[in-house]
Amino acid sequence: MRFQKYLKRNIYKPYRYYYLDYEILKNHIKPDFGPEDEEIFKSMLDENFSRVFGFVDSKQTELNRRCDQLYKSTYTNKLNLKITALSEEMRNFSEFIRINVVGFKKILSRHDKKTQFNLMGEYKSKLKEKIRNLESLDDLIYNSSKVVLKNSKIKTKKESGTTFIRRTDKYWVHKDNINSLKFFILQNLPIYVFTQNKDVQDFESWNKDTHDTKVSSVYLDNENFDLYTDRIHKVQNAEAIRIRWYGSTVPDVVFIERKRHEESWTGESSKKLRFMIHERNVNGFMAGRDVWEDVKSLNGEEVRELYTEIQNKIVQQKLRPVVRTYYKRQAFQLPNDSSVRLSLDTELCMIKETNSSFSWRREDVNTEYPFLQLPKSEIVRFPHGILEIKTQGVDETKPDWINELVSGPLIEHVHKFSKYLHGCAVLYPMISEIPYWLPQMATSIKKDSWDSEEGYKEFENGVLIDIPPKETFNSTLNSTINTLNTTDTINSELISPIDTHGKKIAIPVRVEPKVFFANERTFLSWVQFAIFLGGIGTAMLGLGESKAGFSGIILITVSVIFSFYSLYLYLWRAGMIRKRHPGPYDDIYGPPVLVCVFLLAMALSIIYKFPLKRI
């Protein structure tokens, strides 16, 4: 479906007079397009700019005012209907902005392609300026969340702050879809702001400026990247160890976390365990010094075992900082109820830790997104947002609205995506195995029907590239126009390449105990047949005939050969299973030879009239 048809079919009727006149602008672009036509086209384009963004300004002010009024109102059933209607309109409003920005981009591209004039450079800056002057849509997100939380009955549920057992599914979100996704989620969950006192939610003080959503983590590994290898192959008890903090600066207290993978056959769930430690003691902890009293004062006695296990692993395996991840996170959850939690990470960057001063982090990097001071070999700017859907419960049933979201066009499922694995694979060329999702970045994840007209490539000559935005804006609306920045000179200097030639794509192979048992059963079946042949050969030796005795010796010899061959197959397959090799595991020579020998044994038995039933 072409964009023009899509726009006609998906116009939100209350806003129908304020959309971009895409069809009129498109029809004005003709083969004999001259200077006079260019002036008329620019005048029409300016008029569309003023109409669309003038409406956006007024509508955003109106929606914020409606949120304030609903927040001050007393809860009634009628008020609940108004809240639902407001959430639906905010979703349509974000879609209105998205589709019009895409329309402006497409009409400018068509103009430059079909005529001798170039307007993309001029109007690209105008488009960015319009969006830069808008108040962030995050204002609406926080205001609407205040309304929902104030007028909802929040159930209280005590939870541990150091242990997290959840089922997590991860998805990529195209930047054009981020705002639409936020407002879809807001129809079902409010934004979640962490407070020290979980029983008190000071909704009045919530806003996008006071809520610092930046998250930074430093991951540890050794020179051989043993933790990376175990994690990428999903080995039982594979661990990831990181140091995490929240906010624009490194606080006095940080978290040391361990994520451990558990196979489903164990009956255990993967866990994230962590404890707090003062930042000044992190280097000592990693060096093996005793800082337990500090950790105990912050966490209590219950983290003693975790403290010891992590410190021993760091010291014994000589772990060091290898990759830092940075992103902005917005979480959506009911307070004190983590049965359903969604988190959206944007502005994701993976940074190479190159600190040579034996510190747990490099000092020249803080949270200055997009980190323009770093060379392209030390940073990866991820092109998509990351949505994590986390659920808790005995069964795996998900709410209907989550099933609708998963099956819709806003997100793309990426099984077991890992920021740590992605960062290591790109930033360290010596790593020979890369995650399976890297080739997936070569195709567009947008599912809009008009996007089939224009594809884009992230792989060029075997090199994976990701192009970051030229600059960061306070408004989250900048995500809708980042695709306009790909031709900027500065962006070509920020490309982060990875040479994929000669690299192996690691595909996780699920290995359960029953796989080893199946290998043993196959081995025993071979041994059983070898015993059968040996029994026939021994019986023939006892007949006293020279020909029968000679045939018996042959069968006994073959049975011994088959016994050793079956042992070889058993050990070969067991080794491949332990290494999680994808295969093949089949034996193309053994079974045909086995059938031929079996037929020969039967023929000899008949020739010498040997009664098989006596064996």
Side-chain angles (χ1 to χ4, degrees), residues 307-322:
Y307 164 88
T308 303
E309 290 178 354
I310 294 180
Q311 187 175 54
N312 289 342
K313 191 175 187 69
I314 292 175
V315 174
Q316 293 171 6
Q317 297 195 13
K318 299 180 180 180
L319 303 184
R320 58 182 178 83
V322 290

Side-chain angles (χ1 to χ4, degrees), residues 477-510:
L477 287 175
N478 68 324
S479 62
T480 60
I481 62 166
N482 281 331
T483 52
L484 295 176
N485 296 333
T486 56
T487 58
D488 289 355
T489 303
I490 189 171
N491 284 331
S492 64
E493 298 173 355
L494 294 175
I495 291 176
S496 302
I498 174 174
D499 188 357
T500 59
H501 291 297
K503 292 185 180 290
K504 178 182 177 182
I505 297 177
I507 301 177
V509 178
R510 186 175 181 179

Side-chain angles (χ1 to χ4, degrees), residues 399-412:
D400 292 338
W401 67 270
I402 288 186
N403 293 328
E404 179 185 353
L405 173 62
V406 169
S407 60
L410 295 178
I411 58 178
E412 175 74 15

Side-chain angles (χ1 to χ4, degrees), residues 49 52-54 56-57 60 96-102 104-105 123-137 176 179 471-485:
F49 262 71
V52 170
F53 290 104
V56 169
D57 284 334
Q60 187 170 1
F96 171 85
I97 296 175
R98 183 180 79 93
I99 199 171
N100 277 281
V101 170
V102 172
F104 279 120
K105 172 195 168 185
Y123 278 88
K124 180 178 64 176
S125 59
K126 287 185 178 181
L127 184 58
K128 290 197 294 184
E129 186 64 28
K130 290 287 185 181
I131 294 177
R132 189 184 294 115
N133 292 335
L134 292 174
E135 293 181 9
S136 173
L137 284 185
D176 288 354
N179 283 321
E471 53 186 321
T472 180
F473 306 139
N474 292 329
S475 170
T476 56
L477 287 175
N478 68 324
S479 62
T480 60
I481 62 166
N482 281 331
T483 52
L484 295 176
N485 296 333

Side-chain angles (χ1 to χ4, degrees), residues 235-239 260-263:
V235 176
Q236 169 65 12
N237 290 331
E239 295 181 346
R260 175 176 287 176
H261 172 71
E262 299 285 352
E263 294 281 13

Side-chain angles (χ1 to χ4, degrees), residues 380-427:
V380 178
R381 299 172 182 87
F382 198 72
H384 309 307
I386 307 296
L387 176 69
E388 296 185 11
I389 300 178
K390 304 176 182 179
T391 54
Q392 288 182 341
V394 178
D395 57 8
E396 298 183 355
T397 304
K398 296 180 180 178
D400 292 338
W401 67 270
I402 288 186
N403 293 328
E404 179 185 353
L405 173 62
V406 169
S407 60
L410 295 178
I411 58 178
E412 175 74 15
H413 185 233
V414 184
H415 183 65
K416 298 295 183 181
F417 173 78
S418 168
K419 305 179 184 74
Y420 163 60
L421 297 181
H422 187 94
C424 286
V426 176
L427 295 172

Side-chain angles (χ1 to χ4, degrees), residues 562-578:
F562 268 114
S563 297
F564 282 102
Y565 181 71
S566 62
L567 179 61
Y568 162 75
L569 286 180
Y570 169 75
L571 296 176
W572 171 67
R573 286 174 175 149
M576 292 182 67
I577 293 171
R578 290 191 185 94

